[in-house]
Amino acid sequence: MTTPTAPFPAPRAGASAAGLTVAIDIGGTKIAGALVHPDGTMTATTRRPTPAGADADAETVMAAVAEVVADLSGSPLWPSAVRCGIGSAGPVDASRGTVSPVNIGAWREFPVQARIAAELAARGADVPTVLAGDGVAMTAAEHWLGAARGHANALCMVVSTGVGGGLILNNQLHPGPTGNAGHIGHISVAFDGEPCVCGGHGCVESIASGTAIARWALAQGWTPAPSATPGKGPDATAAGVAAAAAAGDPIALAAFDRAGRALAAAIAATATLVETDIAVIGGGVAASGDTLFAPIREHLAAYATLSFVRELQVVPATLGTHAGLIGAAAAATMLLPRAATA
């Protein structure tokens, strides 16, 4: 299946972006793949469910990845592939090519980059590969084809079960030595705040993730509405909180205001540090629209006060479900020249 997109320039990089890119997107629910053209068009898209449960050991998960590579290798365009980008849920260590995704328990320090490179070579595509965390991949995608296009300095964020992100600085993707630069979810915005799973206190993720929004609302006495679907219980997730906020529930509105304030503080701090002029926000929580974006923009005025950050924009991401694959391809094109000479 081909997913058409309008032609766009290839991602900025230190080498030619000609040829096809093998893109692999690894997440907790699915493993997807595509051959991505220099204009962003995707060909031969395929996916497999991510194995889960007691029988899903490391090799079972890798077998699903290998099936995706096998599907792609059956395309007549396979011989035109010249690079591979791998986007994965994190934590990642791009310097070692390993991943330990929170939502894939079977993989801990799993050498995914080397294993995928071996699968590619076995199928006749001995091409350079690069590994990027999903936040970095989303950033590359939004800068190439999405809401950050045309901005030389941008922060892009994923606000979902967790909060991740990435940076574009001077038109270059800036992943940092291990691929984790821009991980805005673990900036502390409340130094005396509650403990975060990372070991810190008052992190953005502990306040603004979907999980945190729902947890706080429930703790304040919010009661999820009964489901309209027979046999399905009340929606006690962030989506349920968002629906309640849209209906005017005061606790739900307060939960999103609290999350928006935390995000605004982190966005302003990042912009002040590296002079980004736009923050692009995607992920499941961002799907709540103005329920999230209105408090972010309102609070941003109180945090982004210096002259060089007052015009800072906060906008929704535009690529949606395509961001993972497009981002893996864009990250490969932008980073491989650097990685090859490292």
Side-chain angles (χ1 to χ4, degrees):
M1 180 180 73
T2 299
T3 303
T5 65
F8 285 93
R12 295 175 179 85
S16 171
L20 297 183
T21 302
V22 179
I24 307 290
D25 178 28
I26 300 170
T29 59
K30 74 177 188 309
I31 298 164
L35 299 178
V36 182
H37 296 252
D39 67 355
T41 302
M42 295 192 295
T43 299
T45 53
T46 184
R47 68 173 61 190
R48 293 287 189 280
T50 304
D55 297 328
D57 60 15
E59 291 305 319
T60 303
V61 178
M62 184 61 214
V65 178
E67 289 175 8
V68 166
V69 174
D71 287 351
L72 296 178
S73 70
S75 167
L77 296 175
W78 181 252
S80 299
V82 297
R83 66 184 72 82
C84 174
I86 305 159
S88 176
V92 306
D93 186 340
S95 66
R96 299 172 57 217
T98 62
V99 296
S100 302
V102 171
N103 49 10
I104 305 178
W107 277 4
R108 289 295 171 265
E109 298 188 4
F110 187 78
V112 67
Q113 185 173 345
R115 293 294 299 274
I116 289 179
E119 289 291 333
L120 296 170
R123 297 185 178 277
D126 189 6
V127 298
T129 64
V130 72
L131 171 65
D134 51 6
V136 171
M138 175 265 194
T139 299
E142 290 292 334
H143 184 245
W144 180 18
L145 301 180
R149 185 171 177 241
H151 291 265
N153 301 286
L155 166 69
C156 297
M157 304 172 61
V158 180
V159 183
S160 187
T161 305
V163 177
L167 290 167
I168 296 289
L169 300 178
N170 194 27
N171 279 318
Q172 295 293 324
L173 189 62
H174 183 74
T178 66
N180 291 289
H183 202 337
I184 194 170
H186 295 289
I187 289 178
S188 177
V189 291
F191 70 88
D192 56 352
E194 64 182 85
C196 178
V197 293
C198 74
H201 286 78
C203 293
V204 175
E205 184 171 300
S206 70
I207 299 171
S209 70
T211 306
I213 289 170
R215 182 177 63 244
W216 187 87
L218 289 166
Q220 300 306 306
W222 172 66
T223 302
S227 174
T229 305
K232 190 174 181 181
D235 185 358
T237 68
V241 181
D249 184 285
I251 295 176
L253 285 166
F256 271 88
D257 183 75
R258 180 174 180 265
R261 183 177 181 183
L263 290 165
I267 290 167
T270 302
T272 302
L273 185 66
V274 294
E275 290 199 57
T276 52
D277 60 12
I278 189 170
V280 177
I281 305 178
V285 177
S288 60
D290 280 347
T291 300
L292 178 68
F293 284 90
I296 291 174
R297 291 170 179 145
E298 179 183 350
H299 287 295
L300 191 63
Y303 289 105
T305 57
L306 294 170
S307 60
F308 60 91
V309 292
R310 284 180 193 154
E311 303 301 318
L312 178 61
Q313 301 176 56
V314 179
V315 301
T318 60
L319 295 178
T321 57
H322 297 314
L325 287 170
I326 292 174
T333 305
M334 298 175 84
L335 297 177
L336 273 171
R338 185 185 311 166
T341 57

